[in-house]
Amino acid sequence: MHFELFKHCGKRITPQEDLRDEEEVKILSIQEEEEREETFAFSYACRKGHITKRMKLTTNIHVGNQTTITKFILLGFGDLPQLDILLFLLFLVIYIVTVAGNILTIALVVTDQHLHTPMYFFLGNLSCLETSFTSTILPRVLASLLTGDKSISVMGCITQFYFFGSLAGTECLLLSVMSYDRYLAICKPLHYAALMNDRLCLQLVVGLWIGGFLSLTIFVFMMSQLTFCGPNEIDDFFFDFRPIIKLSCTDNRMVEFASFISTSIFTLPPFLLTVASYVCIISNILRIPSTTGRQKAFSTCSSHLIMVTIFYGTLIMVYLVSGSDTLRDLNKVFSFFYGVLTPLLNPLIYSLRNKEVKEALRKALLRSFVFYKNSKF
């Protein structure tokens, strides 16, 4: 009887099997004890601040033998919690100044009769675009710096990229339209009023806004079908399409092809049109005999030329530097300049270099002062 043991199910168990069961129970007990110790050590480290929130915020789903990622971690500016408050205040000031400056530009264009021209109509749309552009990036950065939560869902990343990419494509189209407007004003001044009429301006603006948001529809839909089962850290402060291509564990050749097609159609032609317009503008200005005439002609397009140079210059640097190992650390700097500082500089450049905008601003401030003075008394 000592060598035969019976369970409640009636199955007979040999002494070897009984010893094996006891060993398995001991192993499970040791594993449970180790897990409890690891949990206690992890909780203690979290309380002491030895483990950052980035290390804790990882959410995965196990599917078969693979782990599907449902959240990404935007590393931002690294694990430097002592700088979070300073960066938060810096970005908050930038965001407030950007939104206020662009909204002020829109208000001036709408209220001042002298600014009801095609050039300022496009400028008002550019300000609206820059306000939306910076609002897709900075609110998420501010929330991350304030709360320390750097995680973002996969669909949240894709949604942010859709609006960010659509607005960037719309800005490429708008800058090309503005450069064409300057080309007609300088190179064909006698036909400018007839060619660039109100109806054409409205059609161009509606078309470029719709085209910009339709340009990435198929591409973003294909991105949403990708599966992610590798590392979930993105070394940037906003989401772009390059990290999702690298982190995907499924075949992404069609997504890369769709990205190439979208970029070729909605970025390259506007860039070439902008370059061609300014080549014609500069050659036409150089043929003006008087120095005063050349300065006056160039002053009408200098603000826009500065904006085009900043926008395309930083855009090209972002996507060329990202593929270089030696300059990879500068990629985040150019991304910051391209995504944050460019919308900030738009109202500053146009207000400081444009006489009509400065005059409209002076009149608006004078009217506000007179209204405040009259209402006070």
Side-chain angles (χ1 to χ4, degrees):
M1 293 297 294
H2 179 70
F3 297 98
E4 294 184 358
L5 300 175
F6 294 87
K7 296 266 180 161
H8 66 278
C9 61
K11 180 180 178 181
R12 195 167 73 176
I13 301 177
T14 64
Q16 292 81 6
E17 292 176 340
D18 185 47
L19 291 173
R20 187 165 57 249
D21 292 339
E22 292 179 358
E23 292 176 356
E24 291 177 355
V25 171
K26 290 180 180 179
I27 292 173
L28 291 175
S29 300
I30 293 173
Q31 290 178 348
E32 291 176 356
E33 183 66 23
E34 290 177 350
E35 290 178 357
R36 283 196 295 269
E37 291 178 356
E38 290 177 357
T39 303
F40 175 77
F42 181 79
S43 302
Y44 179 80
C46 290
R47 290 195 299 269
K48 293 298 183 181
H50 298 155
I51 295 180
T52 62
K53 294 181 179 180
R54 176 173 62 84
M55 297 171 63
K56 292 185 286 183
L57 293 171
T58 53
T59 303
N60 302 326
I61 296 176
H62 296 278
V63 180
N65 294 327
Q66 290 184 337
T67 302
T68 302
I69 294 172
T70 60
K71 284 189 177 181
F72 289 119
I73 307 298
L74 289 171
L75 298 182
F77 298 94
D79 291 325
L80 298 172
Q82 64 273 18
L83 295 180
D84 283 353
I85 299 300
L86 180 62
L87 290 174
F88 173 79
L89 295 175
L90 174 63
F91 282 114
L92 181 61
V93 170
I94 290 175
Y95 184 58
I96 292 174
V97 173
T98 300
V99 173
N102 283 287
I103 291 178
L104 178 62
T105 301
I106 296 172
L108 292 176
V109 171
V110 172
T111 58
D112 196 294
Q113 294 291 331
H114 296 90
L115 301 182
H116 290 181
T117 62
M119 174 182 173
Y120 295 108
F121 176 69
F122 295 136
L123 175 60
N125 278 270
L126 180 62
S127 296
C128 180
L129 185 63
E130 299 287 28
T131 303
S132 304
F133 191 76
T134 193
S135 296
T136 63
I137 300 175
L138 283 186
R140 179 67 186 81
V141 175
L142 291 172
S144 175
L145 292 172
L146 188 62
T147 63
D149 182 6
K150 298 182 179 181
S151 66
I152 182 172
S153 66
V154 173
M155 290 308 300
C157 286
I158 295 176
T159 302
Q160 185 189 56
F161 168 71
Y162 172 70
F163 285 101
F164 172 79
S166 298
L167 292 169
T170 304
E171 185 162 355
C172 289
L173 296 173
L174 180 57
L175 290 176
S176 66
V177 169
M178 294 177 73
S179 63
Y180 179 68
D181 171 72
R182 292 299 85 204
Y183 162 75
L184 292 179
I186 294 174
C187 300
K188 299 182 181 298
L190 299 178
H191 304 282
Y192 176 72
L195 294 174
M196 193 60 69
N197 52 58
D198 294 342
R199 182 179 179 181
L200 178 61
C201 291
L202 183 61
Q203 290 174 345
L204 288 173
V205 167
V206 172
L208 64 89
W209 276 95
I210 294 176
F213 277 86
L214 289 179
S215 61
L216 295 180
T217 304
I218 297 177
F219 175 51
V220 169
F221 173 76
M222 296 175 68
M223 285 176 62
S224 65
Q225 306 303 307
L226 296 176
T227 303
F228 308 96
C229 51
N232 67 336
E233 294 182 343
I234 300 175
D235 189 16
D236 212 332
F237 60 92
F238 69 93
F239 186 75
D240 205 351
F241 77 93
R242 294 164 298 162
I244 202 169
I245 298 298
K246 295 178 181 178
L247 297 178
S248 173
C249 57
T250 55
D251 186 7
N252 52 28
R253 286 176 295 181
M254 289 301 297
V255 179
E256 291 180 346
F257 179 72
S259 171
F260 174 76
I261 295 298
S262 299
T263 304
S264 300
I265 294 176
F266 292 96
T267 303
L268 186 59
F271 174 72
L272 295 178
L273 176 60
T274 302
V275 172
S277 298
Y278 272 102
V279 167
C280 295
I281 289 171
I282 293 173
S283 63
N284 190 275
I285 290 176
L286 293 177
R287 288 198 296 266
I288 298 176
S290 65
T291 304
T292 305
R294 287 197 298 269
Q295 292 177 348
K296 184 178 180 180
F298 187 74
S299 65
T300 62
C301 62
S302 59
S303 299
H304 181 257
L305 182 59
I306 293 172
M307 285 300 304
V308 168
T309 304
I310 293 174
F311 178 78
Y312 279 111
T314 54
L315 182 65
I316 291 172
M317 291 302 297
V318 164
Y319 291 99
L320 289 182
V321 169
S322 63
S324 173
D325 293 331
T326 57
L327 299 176
R328 189 177 299 274
D329 293 337
L330 293 176
N331 183 44
K332 197 177 297 185
V333 176
F334 290 116
S335 296
F336 171 76
F337 202 94
Y338 159 64
V340 176
L341 289 187
T342 301
L344 173 66
L345 295 176
N346 171 41
L348 297 178
I349 291 174
Y350 274 98
S351 62
L352 294 177
R353 296 187 59 86
N354 196 292
K355 293 181 180 180
E356 288 84 358
V357 175
K358 287 191 290 187
E359 181 64 20
L361 180 59
R362 188 189 66 82
K363 291 180 180 179
L365 293 176
L366 182 61
R367 287 196 301 267
S368 300
F369 176 75
V370 171
F371 176 78
Y372 172 76
K373 187 176 181 180
N374 293 335
S375 62
K376 186 176 181 180
F377 294 101

